[in-house]
mmCIF file of all heavy atoms in Angstrom:
data_model
loop_
_atom_site.group_PDB
_atom_site.id
_atom_site.type_symbol
_atom_site.label_atom_id
_atom_site.label_comp_id
_atom_site.label_asym_id
_atom_site.label_seq_id
_atom_site.Cartn_x
_atom_site.Cartn_y
_atom_site.Cartn_z
ATOM 1 N N LEU O 1 -61.414 -155.242 57.605
ATOM 2 C CA LEU O 1 -60.759 -154.317 56.707
ATOM 3 C C LEU O 1 -59.992 -155.017 55.566
ATOM 4 O O LEU O 1 -59.655 -154.405 54.562
ATOM 5 C CB LEU O 1 -59.773 -153.391 57.425
ATOM 6 C CG LEU O 1 -60.372 -152.415 58.485
ATOM 7 C CD1 LEU O 1 -59.259 -151.630 59.126
ATOM 8 C CD2 LEU O 1 -61.435 -151.527 57.804
ATOM 9 N N ALA O 2 -59.742 -156.309 55.739
ATOM 10 C CA ALA O 2 -58.916 -157.079 54.788
ATOM 11 C C ALA O 2 -57.536 -156.386 54.589
ATOM 12 O O ALA O 2 -57.064 -156.280 53.494
ATOM 13 C CB ALA O 2 -59.654 -157.272 53.475
ATOM 14 N N LEU O 3 -56.997 -155.941 55.696
ATOM 15 C CA LEU O 3 -55.676 -155.280 55.705
ATOM 16 C C LEU O 3 -54.860 -155.825 56.877
ATOM 17 O O LEU O 3 -55.455 -156.049 57.968
ATOM 18 C CB LEU O 3 -55.801 -153.754 55.889
ATOM 19 C CG LEU O 3 -56.427 -152.940 54.796
ATOM 20 C CD1 LEU O 3 -56.685 -151.497 55.267
ATOM 21 C CD2 LEU O 3 -55.522 -152.996 53.575
ATOM 22 N N ASP O 4 -53.589 -156.040 56.643
ATOM 23 C CA ASP O 4 -52.724 -156.449 57.756
ATOM 24 C C ASP O 4 -52.239 -155.204 58.489
ATOM 25 O O ASP O 4 -51.761 -154.229 57.868
ATOM 26 C CB ASP O 4 -51.516 -157.213 57.211
ATOM 27 C CG ASP O 4 -51.924 -158.598 56.716
ATOM 28 O OD1 ASP O 4 -52.847 -159.196 57.311
ATOM 29 O OD2 ASP O 4 -51.312 -159.074 55.786
ATOM 30 N N PRO O 5 -52.370 -155.181 59.789
ATOM 31 C CA PRO O 5 -51.905 -154.019 60.565
ATOM 32 C C PRO O 5 -50.411 -154.001 60.718
ATOM 33 O O PRO O 5 -49.732 -154.966 60.564
ATOM 34 C CB PRO O 5 -52.607 -154.235 61.937
ATOM 35 C CG PRO O 5 -52.657 -155.711 62.034
ATOM 36 C CD PRO O 5 -52.920 -156.214 60.649
ATOM 37 N N THR O 6 -49.919 -152.833 61.091
ATOM 38 C CA THR O 6 -48.525 -152.692 61.488
ATOM 39 C C THR O 6 -48.306 -153.250 62.889
ATOM 40 O O THR O 6 -47.293 -153.874 63.177
ATOM 41 C CB THR O 6 -48.106 -151.188 61.476
ATOM 42 O OG1 THR O 6 -48.462 -150.656 60.217
ATOM 43 C CG2 THR O 6 -46.616 -151.006 61.661
ATOM 44 N N SER O 7 -49.289 -153.005 63.743
ATOM 45 C CA SER O 7 -49.236 -153.530 65.114
ATOM 46 C C SER O 7 -50.664 -153.677 65.676
ATOM 47 O O SER O 7 -51.584 -153.011 65.195
ATOM 48 C CB SER O 7 -48.410 -152.652 66.014
ATOM 49 O OG SER O 7 -48.985 -151.377 66.172
ATOM 50 N N THR O 8 -50.781 -154.528 66.688
ATOM 51 C CA THR O 8 -52.049 -154.672 67.391
ATOM 52 C C THR O 8 -51.783 -154.809 68.876
ATOM 53 O O THR O 8 -50.662 -155.113 69.270
ATOM 54 C CB THR O 8 -52.790 -155.943 66.922
ATOM 55 O OG1 THR O 8 -52.018 -157.109 67.210
ATOM 56 C CG2 THR O 8 -53.127 -155.887 65.407
ATOM 57 N N ARG O 9 -52.854 -154.608 69.644
ATOM 58 C CA ARG O 9 -52.777 -154.875 71.059
ATOM 59 C C ARG O 9 -54.114 -155.400 71.522
ATOM 60 O O ARG O 9 -55.177 -154.789 71.216
ATOM 61 C CB ARG O 9 -52.424 -153.585 71.831
ATOM 62 C CG ARG O 9 -52.274 -153.858 73.318
ATOM 63 C CD ARG O 9 -51.973 -152.629 74.078
ATOM 64 N NE ARG O 9 -53.228 -151.862 74.281
ATOM 65 C CZ ARG O 9 -53.278 -150.631 74.633
ATOM 66 N NH1 ARG O 9 -52.145 -149.912 74.786
ATOM 67 N NH2 ARG O 9 -54.419 -150.015 74.787
ATOM 68 N N SER O 10 -54.143 -156.496 72.187
ATOM 69 C CA SER O 10 -55.399 -157.016 72.760
ATOM 70 C C SER O 10 -55.799 -156.198 73.964
ATOM 71 O O SER O 10 -54.965 -155.585 74.612
ATOM 72 C CB SER O 10 -55.216 -158.489 73.150
ATOM 73 O OG SER O 10 -54.927 -159.280 72.005
ATOM 74 N N PRO O 11 -57.076 -156.185 74.290
ATOM 75 C CA PRO O 11 -57.550 -155.430 75.472
ATOM 76 C C PRO O 11 -56.837 -155.940 76.722
ATOM 77 O O PRO O 11 -56.511 -157.111 76.862
ATOM 78 C CB PRO O 11 -59.051 -155.742 75.533
ATOM 79 C CG PRO O 11 -59.414 -156.165 74.144
ATOM 80 C CD PRO O 11 -58.193 -156.858 73.609
ATOM 81 N N GLY O 12 -56.617 -155.025 77.637
ATOM 82 C CA GLY O 12 -55.996 -155.367 78.940
ATOM 83 C C GLY O 12 -54.797 -154.474 79.214
ATOM 84 O O GLY O 12 -54.443 -153.633 78.423
ATOM 85 N N PHE O 13 -54.252 -154.688 80.368
ATOM 86 C CA PHE O 13 -53.112 -153.886 80.816
ATOM 87 C C PHE O 13 -51.899 -154.146 79.917
ATOM 88 O O PHE O 13 -51.597 -155.303 79.605
ATOM 89 C CB PHE O 13 -52.765 -154.197 82.269
ATOM 90 C CG PHE O 13 -51.556 -153.473 82.767
ATOM 91 C CD1 PHE O 13 -51.595 -152.134 83.067
ATOM 92 C CD2 PHE O 13 -50.338 -154.162 82.909
ATOM 93 C CE1 PHE O 13 -50.436 -151.477 83.531
ATOM 94 C CE2 PHE O 13 -49.219 -153.517 83.332
ATOM 95 C CZ PHE O 13 -49.288 -152.157 83.695
ATOM 96 N N ASP O 14 -51.224 -153.053 79.526
ATOM 97 C CA ASP O 14 -49.988 -153.176 78.755
ATOM 98 C C ASP O 14 -48.923 -152.303 79.439
ATOM 99 O O ASP O 14 -49.047 -151.092 79.491
ATOM 100 C CB ASP O 14 -50.181 -152.696 77.318
ATOM 101 C CG ASP O 14 -48.977 -152.760 76.452
ATOM 102 O OD1 ASP O 14 -47.884 -153.091 76.954
ATOM 103 O OD2 ASP O 14 -49.121 -152.498 75.242
ATOM 104 N N ARG O 15 -47.934 -152.950 80.003
ATOM 105 C CA ARG O 15 -46.919 -152.193 80.758
ATOM 106 C C ARG O 15 -46.139 -151.194 79.882
ATOM 107 O O ARG O 15 -45.495 -150.308 80.430
ATOM 108 C CB ARG O 15 -45.977 -153.131 81.481
ATOM 109 C CG ARG O 15 -45.053 -153.910 80.565
ATOM 110 C CD ARG O 15 -44.208 -154.863 81.335
ATOM 111 N NE ARG O 15 -43.356 -155.600 80.480
ATOM 112 C CZ ARG O 15 -42.166 -156.009 80.779
ATOM 113 N NH1 ARG O 15 -41.673 -155.741 81.974
ATOM 114 N NH2 ARG O 15 -41.434 -156.681 79.921
ATOM 115 N N TRP O 16 -46.169 -151.372 78.566
ATOM 116 C CA TRP O 16 -45.431 -150.435 77.722
ATOM 117 C C TRP O 16 -46.265 -149.228 77.276
ATOM 118 O O TRP O 16 -45.772 -148.272 76.713
ATOM 119 C CB TRP O 16 -44.981 -151.173 76.496
ATOM 120 C CG TRP O 16 -44.066 -152.330 76.814
ATOM 121 C CD1 TRP O 16 -44.383 -153.630 76.704
ATOM 122 C CD2 TRP O 16 -42.748 -152.281 77.335
ATOM 123 N NE1 TRP O 16 -43.307 -154.413 77.156
ATOM 124 C CE2 TRP O 16 -42.300 -153.589 77.528
ATOM 125 C CE3 TRP O 16 -41.899 -151.191 77.680
ATOM 126 C CZ2 TRP O 16 -41.050 -153.868 78.034
ATOM 127 C CZ3 TRP O 16 -40.672 -151.527 78.184
ATOM 128 C CH2 TRP O 16 -40.230 -152.824 78.373
ATOM 129 N N ASP O 17 -47.557 -149.255 77.573
ATOM 130 C CA ASP O 17 -48.434 -148.134 77.210
ATOM 131 C C ASP O 17 -48.546 -147.182 78.363
ATOM 132 O O ASP O 17 -49.110 -147.465 79.393
ATOM 133 C CB ASP O 17 -49.844 -148.662 76.832
ATOM 134 C CG ASP O 17 -50.772 -147.575 76.364
ATOM 135 O OD1 ASP O 17 -50.403 -146.373 76.411
ATOM 136 O OD2 ASP O 17 -51.888 -147.900 75.940
ATOM 137 N N THR O 18 -47.922 -146.007 78.197
ATOM 138 C CA THR O 18 -47.903 -145.044 79.273
ATOM 139 C C THR O 18 -49.216 -144.261 79.411
ATOM 140 O O THR O 18 -49.408 -143.477 80.369
ATOM 141 C CB THR O 18 -46.743 -144.050 79.106
ATOM 142 O OG1 THR O 18 -46.876 -143.397 77.848
ATOM 143 C CG2 THR O 18 -45.401 -144.795 79.149
ATOM 144 N N SER O 19 -50.126 -144.402 78.442
ATOM 145 C CA SER O 19 -51.387 -143.640 78.508
ATOM 146 C C SER O 19 -52.360 -144.229 79.520
ATOM 147 O O SER O 19 -53.314 -143.566 79.901
ATOM 148 C CB SER O 19 -52.066 -143.648 77.124
ATOM 149 O OG SER O 19 -52.573 -144.914 76.789
ATOM 150 N N GLY O 20 -52.149 -145.496 79.933
ATOM 151 C CA GLY O 20 -53.039 -146.136 80.851
ATOM 152 C C GLY O 20 -54.225 -146.779 80.177
ATOM 153 O O GLY O 20 -55.108 -147.356 80.849
ATOM 154 N N SER O 21 -54.345 -146.675 78.912
ATOM 155 C CA SER O 21 -55.462 -147.283 78.175
ATOM 156 C C SER O 21 -55.361 -148.793 78.249
ATOM 157 O O SER O 21 -54.307 -149.370 78.177
ATOM 158 C CB SER O 21 -55.404 -146.834 76.685
ATOM 159 O OG SER O 21 -56.368 -147.539 75.957
ATOM 160 N N THR O 22 -56.523 -149.412 78.379
ATOM 161 C CA THR O 22 -56.608 -150.877 78.336
ATOM 162 C C THR O 22 -57.373 -151.355 77.125
ATOM 163 O O THR O 22 -57.716 -152.533 77.033
ATOM 164 C CB THR O 22 -57.258 -151.407 79.652
ATOM 165 O OG1 THR O 22 -58.570 -150.833 79.759
ATOM 166 C CG2 THR O 22 -56.414 -151.077 80.845
ATOM 167 N N ASP O 23 -57.697 -150.434 76.203
ATOM 168 C CA ASP O 23 -58.440 -150.798 75.008
ATOM 169 C C ASP O 23 -57.593 -151.677 74.066
ATOM 170 O O ASP O 23 -56.376 -151.593 74.064
ATOM 171 C CB ASP O 23 -58.842 -149.548 74.197
ATOM 172 C CG ASP O 23 -59.916 -148.747 74.872
ATOM 173 O OD1 ASP O 23 -60.457 -149.209 75.900
ATOM 174 O OD2 ASP O 23 -60.206 -147.665 74.374
ATOM 175 N N GLY O 24 -58.296 -152.493 73.339
ATOM 176 C CA GLY O 24 -57.665 -153.199 72.225
ATOM 177 C C GLY O 24 -57.350 -152.182 71.122
ATOM 178 O O GLY O 24 -58.065 -151.172 70.986
ATOM 179 N N ARG O 25 -56.286 -152.438 70.385
ATOM 180 C CA ARG O 25 -55.899 -151.444 69.373
ATOM 181 C C ARG O 25 -55.393 -152.164 68.124
ATOM 182 O O ARG O 25 -54.668 -153.126 68.184
ATOM 183 C CB ARG O 25 -54.822 -150.539 69.906
ATOM 184 C CG ARG O 25 -54.401 -149.448 68.946
ATOM 185 C CD ARG O 25 -53.393 -148.511 69.521
ATOM 186 N NE ARG O 25 -53.926 -147.856 70.684
ATOM 187 C CZ ARG O 25 -53.208 -147.453 71.716
ATOM 188 N NH1 ARG O 25 -51.947 -147.557 71.757
ATOM 189 N NH2 ARG O 25 -53.778 -146.843 72.747
ATOM 190 N N TRP O 26 -55.824 -151.595 66.971
ATOM 191 C CA TRP O 26 -55.386 -152.053 65.648
ATOM 192 C C TRP O 26 -54.755 -150.820 65.007
ATOM 193 O O TRP O 26 -55.362 -149.750 64.960
ATOM 194 C CB TRP O 26 -56.558 -152.546 64.846
ATOM 195 C CG TRP O 26 -56.259 -153.112 63.520
ATOM 196 C CD1 TRP O 26 -56.107 -154.436 63.183
ATOM 197 C CD2 TRP O 26 -56.095 -152.408 62.281
ATOM 198 N NE1 TRP O 26 -55.882 -154.594 61.864
ATOM 199 C CE2 TRP O 26 -55.872 -153.355 61.267
ATOM 200 C CE3 TRP O 26 -56.148 -151.072 61.943
ATOM 201 C CZ2 TRP O 26 -55.687 -153.008 59.926
ATOM 202 C CZ3 TRP O 26 -55.949 -150.705 60.612
ATOM 203 C CH2 TRP O 26 -55.702 -151.661 59.623
ATOM 204 N N ARG O 27 -53.549 -150.940 64.502
ATOM 205 C CA ARG O 27 -52.823 -149.790 63.924
ATOM 206 C C ARG O 27 -52.157 -150.090 62.633
ATOM 207 O O ARG O 27 -51.488 -151.128 62.458
ATOM 208 C CB ARG O 27 -51.724 -149.378 64.965
ATOM 209 C CG ARG O 27 -50.877 -148.254 64.589
ATOM 210 C CD ARG O 27 -49.823 -148.027 65.703
ATOM 211 N NE ARG O 27 -49.005 -146.911 65.401
ATOM 212 C CZ ARG O 27 -49.249 -145.667 65.878
ATOM 213 N NH1 ARG O 27 -50.231 -145.434 66.696
ATOM 214 N NH2 ARG O 27 -48.451 -144.674 65.521
ATOM 215 N N LEU O 28 -52.344 -149.198 61.677
ATOM 216 C CA LEU O 28 -51.669 -149.266 60.374
ATOM 217 C C LEU O 28 -50.940 -147.939 60.198
ATOM 218 O O LEU O 28 -51.568 -146.895 60.058
ATOM 219 C CB LEU O 28 -52.662 -149.481 59.231
ATOM 220 C CG LEU O 28 -52.039 -149.619 57.842
ATOM 221 C CD1 LEU O 28 -51.074 -150.776 57.744
ATOM 222 C CD2 LEU O 28 -53.146 -149.748 56.795
ATOM 223 N N GLU O 29 -49.611 -147.982 60.234
ATOM 224 C CA GLU O 29 -48.835 -146.747 60.260
ATOM 225 C C GLU O 29 -47.946 -146.653 58.998
ATOM 226 O O GLU O 29 -47.501 -147.682 58.455
ATOM 227 C CB GLU O 29 -48.047 -146.554 61.494
ATOM 228 C CG GLU O 29 -46.827 -147.421 61.588
ATOM 229 C CD GLU O 29 -46.062 -147.205 62.903
ATOM 230 O OE1 GLU O 29 -46.689 -147.023 63.942
ATOM 231 O OE2 GLU O 29 -44.845 -147.237 62.879
ATOM 232 N N PHE O 30 -47.705 -145.444 58.633
ATOM 233 C CA PHE O 30 -46.802 -145.117 57.517
ATOM 234 C C PHE O 30 -45.780 -144.146 58.091
ATOM 235 O O PHE O 30 -46.129 -143.048 58.516
ATOM 236 C CB PHE O 30 -47.559 -144.534 56.334
ATOM 237 C CG PHE O 30 -48.514 -145.486 55.741
ATOM 238 C CD1 PHE O 30 -49.807 -145.596 56.189
ATOM 239 C CD2 PHE O 30 -48.126 -146.324 54.710
ATOM 240 C CE1 PHE O 30 -50.689 -146.506 55.679
ATOM 241 C CE2 PHE O 30 -48.988 -147.237 54.164
ATOM 242 C CZ PHE O 30 -50.270 -147.341 54.631
ATOM 243 N N ASP O 31 -44.525 -144.599 58.130
ATOM 244 C CA ASP O 31 -43.510 -143.781 58.733
ATOM 245 C C ASP O 31 -42.322 -143.595 57.742
ATOM 246 O O ASP O 31 -42.499 -143.738 56.536
ATOM 247 C CB ASP O 31 -43.001 -144.388 60.055
ATOM 248 C CG ASP O 31 -42.516 -145.830 59.917
ATOM 249 O OD1 ASP O 31 -42.249 -146.246 58.770
ATOM 250 O OD2 ASP O 31 -42.340 -146.471 60.943
ATOM 251 N N ASN O 32 -41.132 -143.347 58.276
ATOM 252 C CA ASN O 32 -39.957 -143.126 57.386
ATOM 253 C C ASN O 32 -39.653 -144.370 56.541
ATOM 254 O O ASN O 32 -38.966 -144.228 55.522
ATOM 255 C CB ASN O 32 -38.740 -142.698 58.205
ATOM 256 C CG ASN O 32 -38.828 -141.244 58.631
ATOM 257 O OD1 ASN O 32 -39.602 -140.473 58.054
ATOM 258 N ND2 ASN O 32 -38.050 -140.879 59.616
ATOM 259 N N ASP O 33 -40.067 -145.511 56.965
ATOM 260 C CA ASP O 33 -39.830 -146.726 56.149
ATOM 261 C C ASP O 33 -40.683 -146.695 54.874
ATOM 262 O O ASP O 33 -40.348 -147.278 53.867
ATOM 263 C CB ASP O 33 -40.153 -147.978 56.915
ATOM 264 C CG ASP O 33 -39.170 -148.271 58.042
ATOM 265 O OD1 ASP O 33 -38.027 -147.756 57.936
ATOM 266 O OD2 ASP O 33 -39.505 -148.997 58.958
ATOM 267 N N HIS O 34 -41.823 -146.002 54.935
ATOM 268 C CA HIS O 34 -42.724 -145.837 53.781
ATOM 269 C C HIS O 34 -42.210 -144.695 52.933
ATOM 270 O O HIS O 34 -42.028 -144.827 51.725
ATOM 271 C CB HIS O 34 -44.162 -145.498 54.244
ATOM 272 C CG HIS O 34 -45.094 -145.196 53.134
ATOM 273 N ND1 HIS O 34 -45.565 -146.132 52.256
ATOM 274 C CD2 HIS O 34 -45.633 -143.997 52.720
ATOM 275 C CE1 HIS O 34 -46.384 -145.538 51.410
ATOM 276 N NE2 HIS O 34 -46.400 -144.229 51.656
ATOM 277 N N SER O 35 -41.950 -143.525 53.527
ATOM 278 C CA SER O 35 -41.447 -142.355 52.857
ATOM 279 C C SER O 35 -40.986 -141.363 53.896
ATOM 280 O O SER O 35 -41.559 -141.273 54.966
ATOM 281 C CB SER O 35 -42.556 -141.711 51.998
ATOM 282 O OG SER O 35 -42.075 -140.464 51.491
ATOM 283 N N ARG O 36 -39.979 -140.592 53.580
ATOM 284 C CA ARG O 36 -39.527 -139.525 54.479
ATOM 285 C C ARG O 36 -40.394 -138.250 54.276
ATOM 286 O O ARG O 36 -40.295 -137.316 55.065
ATOM 287 C CB ARG O 36 -38.050 -139.165 54.247
ATOM 288 C CG ARG O 36 -37.135 -140.244 54.736
ATOM 289 C CD ARG O 36 -35.699 -139.832 54.564
ATOM 290 N NE ARG O 36 -34.822 -140.869 55.077
ATOM 291 C CZ ARG O 36 -34.273 -140.852 56.300
ATOM 292 N NH1 ARG O 36 -34.548 -139.880 57.125
ATOM 293 N NH2 ARG O 36 -33.488 -141.836 56.680
ATOM 294 N N ASP O 37 -41.213 -138.288 53.270
ATOM 295 C CA ASP O 37 -42.106 -137.161 52.964
ATOM 296 C C ASP O 37 -43.407 -137.302 53.749
ATOM 297 O O ASP O 37 -44.223 -138.221 53.456
ATOM 298 C CB ASP O 37 -42.357 -137.163 51.452
ATOM 299 C CG ASP O 37 -43.200 -135.968 50.983
ATOM 300 O OD1 ASP O 37 -43.869 -135.358 51.781
ATOM 301 O OD2 ASP O 37 -43.121 -135.677 49.787
ATOM 302 N N PHE O 38 -43.636 -136.436 54.689
ATOM 303 C CA PHE O 38 -44.862 -136.503 55.517
ATOM 304 C C PHE O 38 -46.132 -136.460 54.647
ATOM 305 O O PHE O 38 -47.100 -137.191 54.926
ATOM 306 C CB PHE O 38 -44.903 -135.389 56.576
ATOM 307 C CG PHE O 38 -46.254 -135.305 57.215
ATOM 308 C CD1 PHE O 38 -46.679 -136.288 58.103
ATOM 309 C CD2 PHE O 38 -47.134 -134.271 56.900
ATOM 310 C CE1 PHE O 38 -47.945 -136.212 58.702
ATOM 311 C CE2 PHE O 38 -48.380 -134.198 57.481
ATOM 312 C CZ PHE O 38 -48.758 -135.165 58.404
ATOM 313 N N SER O 39 -46.109 -135.687 53.633
ATOM 314 C CA SER O 39 -47.293 -135.578 52.763
ATOM 315 C C SER O 39 -47.681 -136.931 52.177
ATOM 316 O O SER O 39 -48.848 -137.288 52.096
ATOM 317 C CB SER O 39 -46.995 -134.569 51.633
ATOM 318 O OG SER O 39 -48.158 -134.419 50.812
ATOM 319 N N LEU O 40 -46.663 -137.735 51.782
ATOM 320 C CA LEU O 40 -46.950 -139.048 51.225
ATOM 321 C C LEU O 40 -47.426 -140.011 52.332
ATOM 322 O O LEU O 40 -48.275 -140.869 52.070
ATOM 323 C CB LEU O 40 -45.712 -139.622 50.547
ATOM 324 C CG LEU O 40 -45.233 -138.860 49.278
ATOM 325 C CD1 LEU O 40 -43.950 -139.451 48.758
ATOM 326 C CD2 LEU O 40 -46.322 -138.822 48.240
ATOM 327 N N GLN O 41 -46.893 -139.855 53.527
ATOM 328 C CA GLN O 41 -47.369 -140.682 54.635
ATOM 329 C C GLN O 41 -48.843 -140.423 54.922
ATOM 330 O O GLN O 41 -49.633 -141.375 55.040
ATOM 331 C CB GLN O 41 -46.532 -140.378 55.915
ATOM 332 C CG GLN O 41 -45.086 -140.775 55.850
ATOM 333 C CD GLN O 41 -44.327 -140.189 57.032
ATOM 334 O OE1 GLN O 41 -44.852 -139.530 57.901
ATOM 335 N NE2 GLN O 41 -42.985 -140.521 57.061
ATOM 336 N N LEU O 42 -49.200 -139.145 54.982
ATOM 337 C CA LEU O 42 -50.597 -138.779 55.264
ATOM 338 C C LEU O 42 -51.502 -139.200 54.135
ATOM 339 O O LEU O 42 -52.593 -139.718 54.354
ATOM 340 C CB LEU O 42 -50.702 -137.293 55.547
ATOM 341 C CG LEU O 42 -52.104 -136.781 55.892
ATOM 342 C CD1 LEU O 42 -52.632 -137.469 57.166
ATOM 343 C CD2 LEU O 42 -52.107 -135.252 56.073
ATOM 344 N N ASP O 43 -51.049 -139.006 52.890
ATOM 345 C CA ASP O 43 -51.855 -139.413 51.726
ATOM 346 C C ASP O 43 -52.142 -140.921 51.783
ATOM 347 O O ASP O 43 -53.246 -141.352 51.459
ATOM 348 C CB ASP O 43 -51.164 -139.079 50.437
ATOM 349 C CG ASP O 43 -51.332 -137.607 50.015
ATOM 350 O OD1 ASP O 43 -52.261 -136.979 50.496
ATOM 351 O OD2 ASP O 43 -50.527 -137.131 49.201
ATOM 352 N N ALA O 44 -51.188 -141.728 52.197
ATOM 353 C CA ALA O 44 -51.401 -143.162 52.301
ATOM 354 C C ALA O 44 -52.499 -143.502 53.295
ATOM 355 O O ALA O 44 -53.381 -144.325 53.002
ATOM 356 C CB ALA O 44 -50.075 -143.850 52.644
ATOM 357 N N VAL O 45 -52.454 -142.878 54.467
ATOM 358 C CA VAL O 45 -53.484 -143.122 55.458
ATOM 359 C C VAL O 45 -54.860 -142.618 54.997
ATOM 360 O O VAL O 45 -55.872 -143.323 55.120
ATOM 361 C CB VAL O 45 -53.123 -142.409 56.833
ATOM 362 C CG1 VAL O 45 -54.285 -142.446 57.791
ATOM 363 C CG2 VAL O 45 -51.921 -143.073 57.427
ATOM 364 N N LEU O 46 -54.891 -141.456 54.422
ATOM 365 C CA LEU O 46 -56.166 -140.911 53.921
ATOM 366 C C LEU O 46 -56.785 -141.790 52.820
ATOM 367 O O LEU O 46 -57.964 -142.048 52.834
ATOM 368 C CB LEU O 46 -55.979 -139.473 53.414
ATOM 369 C CG LEU O 46 -55.650 -138.417 54.506
ATOM 370 C CD1 LEU O 46 -55.300 -137.077 53.825
ATOM 371 C CD2 LEU O 46 -56.809 -138.242 55.448
ATOM 372 N N SER O 47 -55.928 -142.285 51.934
ATOM 373 C CA SER O 47 -56.411 -143.130 50.835
ATOM 374 C C SER O 47 -57.028 -144.420 51.393
ATOM 375 O O SER O 47 -58.087 -144.844 50.909
ATOM 376 C CB SER O 47 -55.266 -143.456 49.877
ATOM 377 O OG SER O 47 -54.884 -142.288 49.200
ATOM 378 N N ILE O 48 -56.357 -145.024 52.371
ATOM 379 C CA ILE O 48 -56.904 -146.257 52.947
ATOM 380 C C ILE O 48 -58.204 -145.985 53.682
ATOM 381 O O ILE O 48 -59.169 -146.696 53.541
ATOM 382 C CB ILE O 48 -55.871 -146.913 53.864
ATOM 383 C CG1 ILE O 48 -54.788 -147.563 52.989
ATOM 384 C CG2 ILE O 48 -56.494 -147.956 54.769
ATOM 385 C CD1 ILE O 48 -53.605 -148.072 53.729
#
């Protein structure tokens, strides 16, 4: 993607994940640090 993620998780057990998923995960999030306006948060994700 040539993008830096907000967070990642390698495959395997993660004691902090309550879903029980063991999948690897790549995440790019837009939250209140980006904008308090949800519409702008969603627009950022949709644009990417």
Side-chain angles (χ1 to χ4, degrees):
L1 295 179
L3 292 171
D4 289 326
T6 308
S7 65
T8 62
R9 184 180 79 196
S10 295
F13 176 76
D14 180 353
R15 69 182 179 148
W16 301 109
D17 184 355
T18 58
S19 72
S21 173
T22 58
D23 288 354
R25 183 177 299 152
W26 184 97
R27 178 183 183 94
L28 181 61
E29 74 181 39
F30 296 88
D31 58 14
N32 284 343
D33 290 339
H34 174 74
S35 172
R36 290 185 178 263
D37 183 340
F38 168 71
S39 182
L40 295 177
Q41 294 171 359
L42 183 59
D43 280 340
V45 170
L46 292 172
S47 293
I48 287 172

